[in-house]
Amino acid sequence: MRPHRTEPDPDGLSVWATAQRTGPVQRRGRYVPESVKHPARMLPAIAAHAVNAYTQPGDLVLDPMCGIGTTLVEAVHSGRDAIGVEYESRWSDIADANITHAHDHGATGRASVIRGDATRLRSLLPAALTGQVALVVTSPPYGPTVHGLVRPGADGVAKFDNAYNDGTDKGNLAYRDLTGLTHGFEQILTGCATLLRPGGTVVVTARPWRKNSQLVDLPSAVIAAGVRAGLTPTERCVALLAAVRDGRLVARPSFFQLQAVRKARTAGTPLHLITHEDVLIFTKVPASASSGEASCAHEPVGPAGSSCQVATNDVGEEG
């Protein structure tokens, strides 16, 4: 475990203030315009915080489900090298364009994207990368459709860009039930564990969702999958999707999330707006680590020893 810090340190807090600016503002000028078409984009500030907190310049970062390449872009802008795997060519093409765009704007790290099935990670990536990855940053899919974008029209508000693909390719993890998703993600994490260097870190963002009024606890499923993959849970943090203003949270809901919460409350169900994602952090414990060290690493606490401190100065002001 990291030593306890007696003074506040934004890099060591277990609550990450990653939405001080909106997602579109974070991406403006940093990503190609086509990036908005992906239905479940990670906030750039989440990826940037993970890269800066858990790696050093020159380290290698991996995202086995890289989508439009958010993790890769933030890594190369921070002087790290990165490699991504993406199942759908539509998104891998955009990821390639985003990497090129980053280099055109001064990013010094190297990055590449491989198209393929991340459940077969070890067969996709060169054997020379075994034991070389310092950090994995990724997020599992949240079902076949998500909120996407909206466009007002004569017949009301229409939803678009809200699906990973057209639904014909069931190889995408987004089209599996929770059991199938968890199994596939375990396979991905097993491959990541092989590629990680001793002491390397895996950062997974996840959030629960509701299906037929029942809560689907994806974060707990991810933790179990990581343990089965041979990784050790070391921290459970919070990445804010809401801004912090004068000590209060300012939610940034999508149109459909806001609509769903209003309908639920009208019907008597006390739903609340989503203001954070769970950040589940695992470590590849070196084989030489003592049993005492391994036991300590299982404690699900942030590096500062507190889950109530908030870093507000690491991503800038809303613009």
Side-chain angles (χ1 to χ4, degrees), residues 228-299:
R228 291 194 299 269
L231 299 168
T232 300
T234 51
E235 302 172 46
R236 185 164 184 167
C237 299
V238 164
L240 292 180
L241 304 176
V244 180
R245 296 287 185 267
D246 298 323
R248 303 184 66 179
L249 295 179
V250 180
R252 303 191 188 282
S254 70
F255 172 85
F256 286 103
Q257 184 189 3
L258 189 60
Q259 184 183 56
V261 169
R262 286 172 173 168
K263 287 182 177 178
R265 290 185 175 181
T266 300
T269 302
L271 287 187
H272 295 274
L273 293 172
I274 297 173
T275 58
H276 79 279
E277 286 192 311
D278 286 27
V279 185
L280 311 170
I281 299 169
F282 306 84
T283 301
K284 181 178 180 179
V285 176
S288 59
S290 68
S291 59
E293 290 173 328
S295 176
C296 181
H298 278 286
E299 297 179 17

Side-chain angles (χ1 to χ4, degrees), residues 176-201:
R176 301 185 185 182
D177 60 16
L178 182 61
T179 300
L181 169 60
T182 303
H183 176 67
F185 202 62
E186 178 186 337
Q187 292 176 298
I188 293 172
L189 292 179
T190 299
C192 291
T194 300
L195 295 167
L196 277 175
R197 69 189 185 191
T201 303

Side-chain angles (χ1 to χ4, degrees), residues 9-11 13 15-28 30-31 42-53 70 74 78 238-245 249-250 252 310-319:
D9 178 355
D11 290 334
L13 300 180
V15 178
W16 302 359
T18 44
Q20 295 294 82
R21 298 177 296 162
T22 64
V25 171
Q26 290 185 29
R27 297 184 189 94
R28 187 177 301 155
R30 198 172 177 89
Y31 292 78
M42 180 182 290
L43 279 178
I46 294 178
H49 186 106
V51 167
N52 289 319
T70 301
E74 299 308 317
S78 295
V238 164
L240 292 180
L241 304 176
V244 180
R245 296 287 185 267
L249 295 179
V250 180
R252 303 191 188 282
V310 179
T312 59
N313 60 351
D314 58 333
V315 291
E317 286 300 309
E318 183 176 354

Side-chain angles (χ1 to χ4, degrees), residues 13 23 40 88-89 96 132 143 162 170 176 203 214 236 243 257 264:
L13 300 180
E88 295 187 32
S89 59
D96 282 331
Q132 300 302 308
N162 62 313
K170 302 303 181 182
R176 301 185 185 182
V203 173
Q214 299 297 312
R236 185 164 184 167
Q257 184 189 3

Side-chain angles (χ1 to χ4, degrees), residues 2-315:
R2 297 183 180 185
H4 178 78
R5 294 180 175 90
T6 57
E7 297 295 329
D9 178 355
D11 290 334
L13 300 180
S14 54
V15 178
W16 302 359
T18 44
Q20 295 294 82
R21 298 177 296 162
T22 64
V25 171
Q26 290 185 29
R27 297 184 189 94
R28 187 177 301 155
R30 198 172 177 89
Y31 292 78
V32 298
E34 293 79 10
S35 299
V36 300
K37 296 181 178 296
H38 194 280
R41 303 172 300 280
M42 180 182 290
L43 279 178
I46 294 178
H49 186 106
V51 167
N52 289 319
Y54 296 101
T55 65
Q56 298 295 324
D59 281 347
L60 179 61
V61 178
L62 165 68
D63 188 342
M65 304 178 74
C66 73
I68 61 168
T70 301
T71 297
L72 315 186
V73 169
E74 299 308 317
V76 298
H77 272 298
S78 295
R80 281 70 167 172
D81 295 332
I83 188 165
V85 175
E86 173 51 41
Y87 186 76
E88 295 187 32
S89 59
R90 178 187 185 188
W91 310 130
S92 64
D93 289 345
I94 295 176
D96 282 331
N98 277 326
I99 292 169
T100 299
H101 185 73
H103 288 147
D104 290 343
H105 287 76
T108 58
R110 300 168 297 174
S112 61
V113 181
I114 296 174
R115 188 190 171 194
D117 184 351
T119 63
R120 300 180 175 88
L121 200 58
R122 285 174 290 183
S123 64
L124 288 176
L125 300 182
L129 293 182
T130 300
Q132 300 302 308
V133 173
L135 173 67
V136 174
V137 181
T138 197
S139 181
Y142 300 112
T145 61
V146 291
H147 292 161
L149 304 177
V150 296
R151 181 186 293 121
D155 298 324
V157 175
K159 182 187 291 189
F160 63 101
D161 288 334
N162 62 313
Y164 289 91
N165 58 36
D166 60 7
T168 59
D169 187 350
K170 302 303 181 182
N172 192 313
L173 288 187
Y175 292 88
R176 301 185 185 182
D177 60 16
L178 182 61
T179 300
L181 169 60
T182 303
H183 176 67
F185 202 62
E186 178 186 337
Q187 292 176 298
I188 293 172
L189 292 179
T190 299
C192 291
T194 300
L195 295 167
L196 277 175
R197 69 189 185 191
T201 303
V202 176
V203 173
V204 181
T205 64
R207 70 177 84 155
W209 72 86
R210 289 188 180 273
K211 183 175 182 180
N212 300 324
S213 300
Q214 299 297 312
L215 187 69
V216 180
D217 189 2
L218 181 60
S220 292
V222 168
I223 292 173
V227 171
R228 291 194 299 269
L231 299 168
T232 300
T234 51
E235 302 172 46
R236 185 164 184 167
C237 299
V238 164
L240 292 180
L241 304 176
V244 180
R245 296 287 185 267
D246 298 323
R248 303 184 66 179
L249 295 179
V250 180
R252 303 191 188 282
S254 70
F255 172 85
F256 286 103
Q257 184 189 3
L258 189 60
Q259 184 183 56
V261 169
R262 286 172 173 168
K263 287 182 177 178
R265 290 185 175 181
T266 300
T269 302
L271 287 187
H272 295 274
L273 293 172
I274 297 173
T275 58
H276 79 279
E277 286 192 311
D278 286 27
V279 185
L280 311 170
I281 299 169
F282 306 84
T283 301
K284 181 178 180 179
V285 176
S288 59
S290 68
S291 59
E293 290 173 328
S295 176
C296 181
H298 278 286
E299 297 179 17
V301 298
S306 171
S307 61
C308 61
Q309 296 171 301
V310 179
T312 59
N313 60 351
D314 58 333
V315 291

